[in-house]
Amino acid sequence: MASTCMRTFLQAMCLVVLLSTAVPANYGDDIKVSFGEDYFNEITDEDQLEEATPTPSPEPCRSPVFTKWDKLFTMLENSQMKENMLLQYADDIIKVELQSLRGELLQFVAQYGGSCASAVEGLVRRVGIQTETRLQNAMDRVREVSADQYVQHDAALQQLLAASVNQATRMEQLESSCLKLGAAKSFQARHLMQEVTEAENGGRLQKTLSTISSDLQIIREQLILYTRSVFANSLPSGCDTGLLFPTRSSTAHVEVSPKTPFQNNAATICLWAKPTQVLNKTILFSYSTTGNAYELQLVLNGQSVFFTVDGETHLVEASGAAQEGQWVHICAVWSSQQGLASLWVNGQQAASSPGVAEGHELRSKGSILLGQEYGRSFRHLSIPDTFDADLAFTGKMTGVNMWDRVLNSKEISQQARIDGSGCGIRGNVVAWGVSDIEPKGGVKLIY
């Protein structure tokens, strides 16, 4: 219907153009200019003689004399008048025809305008429906592809997780076997040494060790890729909440309220940290009292970790423990007996030293800060919380726990598994997720 309306309108416009060009052509008569002979008004000799002889006859009428130019101007005036008459006649005809055509067009629009609009509206509606259908089909295909990729990635992660669990089980079995062998009787030990000697002679032990080393290297690479891809932006060890220290400022810190007051001669501090930037000195954990602002401190110094007891003169250092943008699990253990202090990084003992604050006893009713220290300006809840911005920690922190005893290696390694549930192990002095914490100075609690 829309194409029919358009064709009829074009035919009407062509008719108007033909009328406007045809009318002047029909009335354009050729006008020829012709010149007649001159009037014979010359006086001959005979006429002169007759004039000389007077006659009683009356004097004849004299006609005007027209020159060629007079005749030409006369004919031009006549042709101009005729042309004006023809033009006026042509204008009248065109006006009548245009009025008739206008009436026909108005009648045509009144008759077919509604149907043309309906046809155009229906065409637009069909095009819209088709476009919407195609977009919906495209979105469905995109969802299907995304779902397939998600399933494939999930299956790959499950396989890798199963492989890591299997290898961990094998390592535990190997460790258990070694412990059993170490506790065997001397006769069995001599028999085992004999077998080892025979295996060395035959080259079997070397081959076995090489195979185990290759398997362990493959497992290590897989675990590194797995931990980087899965836990890049999440909290480690099954922790539900964490702390974000966005900037280094003189007010950014977190106050921790111990579950119970304590006064003891042993302590264990464990936490997860992900530093944004490693600088010369950054405070992770600080326990201060009114008598001693440096009772216990856990400090980052570049990529090293320092653990101090009763001041910086008594410390243990673990080098190369921290990396920018990577989670690290740190445990600091101290006992007043013999002053034995040690640092554990990612479940492994990284440093140990005797004679650290030997015989010292931790004072009670102190304050615990995360990401800052009170320092020498410490006054127990009597001044505003302003600190040294150069010592402020920037990054993320979670899983902060404290005990009033020395934890063994198994208890520490269980907390250090990044894909485990170490956050479920809580201290009896500070328990992550149970003890009250108060972020201040722009520090945010994240989930």
Side-chain angles (χ1 to χ4, degrees), residues 196-246:
V196 169
T197 303
E198 293 176 357
E200 288 178 350
N201 294 332
R204 292 192 301 271
L205 180 60
Q206 184 177 1
K207 184 177 180 180
T208 302
L209 292 176
S210 177
T211 304
I212 293 174
S213 177
S214 300
D215 292 342
L216 290 176
Q217 183 66 24
I218 294 173
I219 293 170
R220 181 175 179 276
E221 294 176 356
Q222 290 177 348
L223 288 176
I224 290 174
L225 293 175
Y226 175 72
T227 53
R228 286 181 180 177
S229 61
V230 176
F231 300 103
N233 298 317
S234 61
L235 298 175
S237 194
C239 295
D240 296 329
T241 59
L243 295 170
L244 173 62
F245 297 78

Side-chain angles (χ1 to χ4, degrees), residues 99-114:
Q99 289 178 357
S100 176
L101 180 60
R102 182 174 178 275
E104 292 179 359
L105 287 176
L106 290 176
Q107 183 179 2
F108 172 78
V109 171
Q111 183 177 358
Y112 297 104

Side-chain angles (χ1 to χ4, degrees), residues 160-424:
L160 186 57
L161 180 60
S164 63
V165 171
N166 187 19
Q167 295 298 334
T169 304
R170 292 174 57 188
M171 292 296 295
E172 291 178 356
Q173 293 176 355
L174 181 60
E175 182 180 1
S176 176
S177 299
C178 292
L179 292 176
K180 291 179 179 179
L181 290 175
K185 297 179 180 180
S186 59
F187 174 78
Q188 294 175 346
R190 288 193 300 270
H191 183 69
L192 180 61
M193 289 299 297
Q194 184 179 359
E195 291 183 353
V196 169
T197 303
E198 293 176 357
E200 288 178 350
N201 294 332
R204 292 192 301 271
L205 180 60
Q206 184 177 1
K207 184 177 180 180
T208 302
L209 292 176
S210 177
T211 304
I212 293 174
S213 177
S214 300
D215 292 342
L216 290 176
Q217 183 66 24
I218 294 173
I219 293 170
R220 181 175 179 276
E221 294 176 356
Q222 290 177 348
L223 288 176
I224 290 174
L225 293 175
Y226 175 72
T227 53
R228 286 181 180 177
S229 61
V230 176
F231 300 103
N233 298 317
S234 61
L235 298 175
S237 194
C239 295
D240 296 329
T241 59
L243 295 170
L244 173 62
F245 297 78
T247 58
R248 298 169 63 89
S249 69
S250 59
T251 59
H253 69 285
V254 177
E255 294 183 0
V256 181
S257 300
K259 294 173 60 179
T260 56
F262 74 100
Q263 183 173 0
N264 208 337
N265 54 5
T268 300
I269 304 168
C270 292
L271 57 84
W272 283 96
K274 184 181 180 181
T276 303
Q277 187 178 15
V278 290
L279 301 173
N280 291 334
K281 184 178 180 181
T282 300
I283 305 299
L284 293 176
F285 181 97
S286 175
Y287 175 67
S288 305
T289 62
T290 54
N292 188 355
Y294 305 101
E295 283 283 357
L296 293 173
Q297 279 196 339
L298 198 55
V299 182
L300 286 180
N301 190 356
Q303 295 184 350
S304 300
V305 178
F306 289 171
F307 175 45
T308 67
V309 182
D310 191 25
E312 296 182 355
T313 56
H314 307 93
L315 60 85
V316 182
E317 177 184 358
S319 302
Q323 301 291 332
E324 291 183 357
Q326 296 184 13
W327 284 106
V328 59
H329 185 261
I330 302 172
C331 277
V333 182
W334 171 80
S335 175
S336 176
Q337 185 178 3
Q338 298 180 357
L340 185 60
S342 60
L343 276 172
W344 298 69
V345 178
N346 294 327
Q348 302 294 325
Q349 183 172 325
S352 178
S353 176
V356 177
E358 183 178 356
H360 178 70
E361 186 172 330
L362 299 175
R363 299 183 182 182
S364 62
K365 297 181 181 180
S367 296
I368 297 177
L369 294 182
L370 302 180
Q372 256 305 348
E373 69 172 9
Y374 279 113
R376 299 187 182 279
S377 62
F378 174 77
R379 297 177 187 173
H380 190 61
L381 302 177
S382 60
I383 61 172
D385 296 331
T386 56
F387 307 95
D388 187 356
D390 294 335
L391 302 179
F393 170 74
T394 57
K396 296 180 181 179
M397 191 182 301
T398 187
V400 181
N401 290 281
M402 181 177 178
W403 292 261
D404 58 359
R405 62 182 180 87
V406 174
L407 268 62
N408 57 38
S409 60
K410 186 176 182 180
E411 290 174 318
I412 294 176
S413 62
Q414 287 177 350
Q415 301 177 59
R417 294 183 59 181
I418 194 170
D419 59 340
S421 57
C423 270

